[in-house]
Every structure is written in C-alpha cells, then in structure tokens.
Amino acid sequence: MRSNSVKLGAPRAPHRSLFKALGFIDEELERPLIGVVVAQSEIVPGHAHLGLIAKAASDGVREAGGVPVQFPVIGVCDGIAMGHVGMRYSLVTRELIADSVECMAMAHGFDALIFIPNCDKVVPGMLMASARLNIPSVFVSGGPMLAGRGAGGKTLTLTTMFEAVGAVGSGRMSEAELDELEERACPGCGSCSGMFTANSMNCVTEALGMALPFNGTAPAVHAERIRLAKKTGFLAMDVLKKNILPRSILTERAFLNALALDMAIGASTNTALHLPAIAGEAGVALGFEVFNAVSAATPNLCRLAPASDTPIEELHFAGGIPAVLKELSRKGLIDDAAPTVYGTLGDAIKAALNCNTAVIRPIDDPHSPTGGLAALWGNIAPEGCVVKQSAVAPSMLRHTGPARVFESEEAAFDAIMGGLIKPGDVIVIRYEGPRGGPGMKEMLGPTAALAGMGLDDKVALLTDGRFSGASKGAAIGHISPEAALGGPLALVREGDVIEIDIPARAIAARVDDAELLRRGAEWKAPPPKVVSGCLARYAERVGSAARGAVFE
C-alpha cells in the first residue's frame, strides 16, 4: 500500500503518533487510507451539500474495509463571480485545485482517492489531478439543482435571471417581476440546472469512465445521489484492489467517447477548454480539429437549457447519460468496450432506456446531424475559436455585420444596456483572454443582456475570453491567439465587416492581408492589468486557449 510510506515500521512511529492525535487506532492504520477530496463550502450553491455526499462516500469506504480521510479544495461560484473582477479568479482555480490535490495526495500517502466536485473549474481541476497522480481514483459529483418554477409553471434557471437583467434594461420587464424571479429561479443546492459548464463536465466524467452512471444527472436533493455516493465508496475499494489507474481509463478512446457525448448533449463551450487540459495530463493530444471531426460525425440529440427551456433533471428522468450513449452506440459512435472504473462503458449502456424521446432524440431523428460545438478558423482566429452551435438561432449560423469593438467586457455590457448595439452588429470584446484578462473571464452578462433585449438572434459576439455554459446565441469565444499576445483580434477596428459562417467553420474580417500586416506593425501591447498576486503569476505562465489554457 502507498500509505505504508507514512505508517509502517519503527521509523514511522512519529507519523503514527500524529495519526493517533487525530483519533486513529492501530486497526485503522492496518487498512488502506482513502483520500476523500471534497469541495464543500458555504459560498457555492453547488457545493453547500457536499459534506453529505462526502459522508455517504466515506460510509461506503468504511463498510468496504477502508479508512476514509476527508480533505478540502477551494471552488469559485462562477455565477457569484460573474460580471466583476471576481471572474478573473475562476479559471485560475482549475490549476490551483489540481496542484493542491497533488500536494495533499503525495504528502500523505493515500492509497486511493474519491473526488467530490460539482461546479465549473473544480471538476476539470480534479480530473487533471487524477490523471497527473495516476493512483486509483473514482468520482462522484454533488449533482444538479432542480429547476425553479415561475408563474404558470414556467421553468426557471440561472440563465433566466441574467436574461431578465437585459429585459429590465430594455423595458420588457418590470423590477417587480425581476424580484419575483429572483425568489424562484434557484430553489436549492446543486449545480445550476441547465447544460451549463458544471453539469456538462459532470456528464462528460461519466463518458470518460471515471464515475458511475448517473453521476452527471441525478438531482442533488434526491436520495439517489446519496446512494450513488455510497456505491462510489465501495467502488473506490474495488478500484484499489484491482489497481485500476486513471491513465488506463483516460486514453484517446475515452476522450473520443467524451467528445461524442459532448456533441450529442450540446455541452458548454468550456469543455473545449477543459478536455484538452485533462487530456494533456493523461498524455493525449486533443486539438480543435478533433472536436470538429467528432462533431461532423455526431448528431445533436439533446437541446437543454440554455438551448431550450428543458432543465437537466428532465435528461435524468429520460434515462440520463447511459440512454444518450446507447443512442450513439446504435450508429457505432461510441467505443463501448472502453474501460471504466466499474467495467466497460458497455456495462452502463446495456440496461439503459430512452424514456422520453422528446428530451433524448433517437439517433435517426436528431435535432441536427452534427454536434453541439463547432470550432472556426479564419484571419482573426488563426489558431481557432469555439461556438455552441446548438444554441445559435438558425438565422445567425451565417452572419455578416460591422464590428463594434470594446476593450473589456464591462465596456461592452454598458453599451448593450445603454441601447448602443443595433441588430446586425458584431460585438468584439478583446483583451479578456487567459493572459490579457488575465483569467479569461466568462461573458454571461453581455450574452444574457442581448437575449433579454431580444437581440440574441440578431447580434453576434466575439471574444478572446470565454462564455458561461448558460450563454446562448452567436457567442464565439476562445479566439486564439488572444489580443494581448498580438493576435489578429487586436487589429480589428470599429466598422470592419466581420463574416461568420458556422456551417463552413469559418470566421474572418474583410480586411486584406497587407492592411492587417500594416496594423500589426503599429500595434503596441497594452500594459498588464494586474502586476501582483496569483493573477500576475498566472498571466506569466498560461498558454493559448486553443490548447486548453494550461501552464506552458
């Protein structure tokens, strides 16, 4: 056992004395030590209940003969951090989480790990850590929040609230109506109730094979979630006994399975940031070209919030991720022989049922023949950019319009709320990339304001930053290389005509190469926005969003 390095033999008597200071007894020190990595906190709704999940998982470990040992990691609530300086600190935590888990696991000699994440950067940060450490690991998330219910039973999600801000700004909604929505939109604990980034990543964890079926969809407040956590505790002991290592699961075939699921469920554009980062830790290359190849072959089967009013709980009741994978397997789009922490992916698919074909469309009757995400290239995005095409109005899949250029998210948001953006415009928000932000802020405020004003099917938005999974519309992010590094987005000027052709995977400014070269020669890098602290260190080391915004 790895834990013998901290507890076995006379030289480890001092170590054992410290364990006994914690209340351990000799019988426990003879058993495997299972680290339970839990992101519980009192500031993140998705994490407020994780103590209960950790207890259930720990109960499972103890009943299976192991000794559970809980330790915490940090986590940012992207919704609370949205729209102000706090959003600069969200993506940064992904690397901090991976590093802190590595530190704790290596320092204390755990034999295996149970990871309990839920929200946006915590899931990929923990997956990166599991691949990096390569010791037996299993995952169980905290599960999604139930949808809110408004007047007449209308489904409410966090997107509803952000879009309502735009509706109030344009006079389409009263402040009294806004107040009523505020009381109802988020009814309790769990990750926000659409196919936003947190739920996208928890579902993807199933397809990667690192969690039991229904990890991504069983509601946070249902007893099923507690049972799932207990089973995960037992599973951790089984994975340890069989010495199943993360890198034996996180192979190229696993990432192709994850991408196929991603395309089928219309997951967040942030998966295009996180999956390459996780794959890199596992020694697998995963570029935008792979995303497009899988998207071209994989139909989009689910249209969940924000692409519709359907919350993620309906996906669970329809059969969950196993049912989606089963549909994909009918066309050979999933490698069901891929190993998982509990067997093979085929074991999850075998018993799956599609109980609601309105929520999970049959493979022969998809919403669209191609997947939910698309990568685009062109003279303003030579390394590529990403859009959630399943959440784009058909009329905006091809669009040409004048650039409205802003040097920050805040400036663009003020212009939108001030009525300065007109139908046909192409909003450009730059210097918000991984290095320029720094931290690559999400842009839910601007996209939701446009939707609330009824402009999401009339206006496009381009950025070297990124978008919340709750964003919808022609929101094209991750433009690489970013403006702060002199990428061509920095050279776009007010009024330049921008052409977007999502089906053709193309994006460009109608500016000839010679003019771009001339502008490039005149360009000067702006001073850094942050010169001290973790953001400054992050900006010095972070790489391109096209490669997952990992440290290079």
Side-chain angles (χ1 to χ4, degrees):
M1 293 188 293
R2 291 182 75 254
S3 60
N4 285 344
S5 64
V6 298
K7 66 185 186 183
L8 190 65
R12 295 296 178 258
H15 305 63
R16 290 193 297 275
S17 72
L18 291 170
F19 277 105
K20 289 180 178 180
L22 294 165
F24 282 73
I25 60 176
D26 289 334
E27 288 81 357
E28 288 178 306
L29 293 176
E30 293 171 359
R31 299 175 181 177
L33 297 183
I34 311 300
V36 180
V37 191
V38 58
Q40 194 275 336
S41 76
E42 294 183 346
I43 191 61
V44 185
H47 293 183
H49 65 305
L50 292 190
L52 295 173
I53 306 300
K55 181 184 181 303
S58 296
D59 288 346
V61 168
R62 198 171 291 280
E63 289 179 36
V67 179
V69 185
Q70 294 183 26
F71 65 89
V73 297
I74 63 170
V76 164
C77 176
D78 279 21
I80 293 174
M82 194 75 65
H84 60 95
V85 67
M87 183 44 66
R88 290 180 178 172
Y89 287 86
S90 176
L91 184 57
V92 176
T93 65
R94 187 187 69 180
E95 317 307 311
L96 294 174
I97 289 163
D99 290 348
S100 65
V101 172
E102 177 188 355
C103 292
M104 291 294 288
M106 297 304 293
H108 300 104
F110 292 112
D111 296 298
L113 296 171
I114 298 175
F115 289 91
I116 305 178
N118 213 26
C119 289
D120 294 22
K121 310 310 168 295
V122 187
V123 187
M126 288 185 176
L127 283 165
M128 290 167 68
S130 71
R132 183 187 302 174
L133 290 164
N134 202 36
I135 64 176
S137 300
V138 292
F139 280 69
V140 58
S141 76
M145 183 187 296
L146 294 175
R149 297 295 170 184
K154 178 179 171 57
T155 298
L156 307 177
T157 70
L158 185 64
T159 301
T160 309
M161 292 308 307
F162 277 94
E163 292 180 0
V165 173
V168 170
S170 65
R172 293 161 54 127
M173 180 183 290
S174 70
E175 291 199 12
E177 291 172 306
L178 179 67
D179 291 343
E180 178 67 15
L181 291 177
E182 179 184 318
E183 296 291 333
R184 295 173 175 268
C186 298
C189 65
S191 46
C192 297
S193 56
M195 190 52 74
F196 311 148
T197 304
N199 292 326
S200 295
M201 290 305 303
N202 285 323
C203 290
V204 159
T205 303
E206 281 189 54
L208 285 171
M210 292 299 293
L212 286 167
F214 306 108
N215 172 73
T217 58
V221 296
H222 283 198
E224 181 179 358
R225 179 60 57 179
I226 299 296
R227 296 195 300 271
L228 189 66
K230 286 182 181 177
K231 290 178 182 177
T232 301
F234 277 90
L235 180 63
M237 292 299 293
D238 188 55
V239 165
L240 173 60
K241 180 180 178 181
K242 295 175 180 175
N243 196 34
I244 298 172
L245 303 179
R247 287 186 208 163
S248 68
I249 294 171
L250 296 173
T251 61
E252 182 179 25
R253 66 205 290 207
F255 285 100
L256 292 176
N257 281 342
L259 283 177
L261 175 73
D262 187 312
M263 300 304 167
I265 62 177
S268 164
T269 52
N270 282 313
T271 59
L273 196 68
H274 300 321
L275 281 173
I278 300 161
E281 294 282 1
V284 176
L286 199 65
F288 283 166
E289 296 84 358
V290 181
F291 276 75
N292 269 359
V294 175
S295 181
T298 309
N300 178 228
L301 305 182
C302 303
R303 291 280 168 94
L304 304 168
S308 75
D309 291 330
T310 305
I312 193 168
E313 66 205 60
E314 296 301 330
L315 173 60
H316 182 66
F317 302 142
I321 297 307
V324 179
L325 294 173
K326 190 164 191 173
E327 291 291 346
L328 294 174
S329 72
R330 290 172 54 198
K331 294 287 188 181
L333 297 172
I334 287 290
D335 182 351
D336 57 12
T340 71
V341 289
Y342 54 83
T344 68
L345 208 58
D347 294 329
I349 294 171
K350 201 177 304 177
L353 292 173
N354 185 351
C355 303
N356 187 341
T357 56
V359 175
I360 304 172
R361 295 283 282 271
I363 194 73
D364 294 321
D365 184 28
H367 288 286
S368 69
T370 57
L373 298 186
L376 318 179
W377 286 267
N379 65 355
I380 58 173
E383 290 183 0
C385 55
V386 181
V387 63
K388 186 172 183 174
Q389 62 179 352
S390 60
V392 178
S395 61
M396 290 297 294
L397 291 172
R398 292 182 175 88
H399 180 75
T400 300
R404 304 296 312 280
V405 180
F406 301 94
E407 311 300 316
S408 69
E409 177 197 9
E410 292 82 1
F413 183 78
D414 289 345
I416 293 167
M417 295 299 288
L420 302 179
I421 302 301
K422 307 301 180 187
D425 285 348
V426 178
I427 300 169
V428 174
I429 303 176
R430 61 192 180 193
Y431 298 110
E432 294 286 15
R435 186 167 299 188
M440 202 180 183
K441 291 192 296 185
E442 288 186 344
M443 307 284 177
L444 179 55
T447 59
L450 289 171
M453 292 178 167
L455 291 173
D456 57 304
D457 60 350
K458 302 175 182 67
V459 171
L461 198 160
L462 319 181
T463 183
D464 51 7
R466 59 197 177 91
F467 294 105
S468 165
S471 290
K472 65 180 180 181
I476 300 170
H478 306 198
I479 292 179
S480 302
E482 62 178 289
L485 294 179
L489 193 68
L491 311 180
V492 174
R493 294 184 177 175
E494 185 82 8
D496 284 349
V497 175
I498 306 293
E499 294 179 329
I500 300 164
D501 191 335
I502 294 173
R505 307 298 190 247
I507 184 169
R510 283 186 190 167
V511 180
D512 63 45
D513 293 345
E515 174 61 14
L516 285 176
L517 284 172
R518 187 184 68 77
R519 293 181 188 180
E522 296 174 352
W523 178 81
K524 292 182 180 179
K529 296 175 184 175
V530 179
V531 296
S532 64
C534 72
L535 283 179
R537 295 194 300 274
Y538 181 84
E540 289 174 0
R541 295 196 58 194
V542 70
S544 171
R547 295 185 292 278
V550 295
F551 286 165
E552 296 180 351

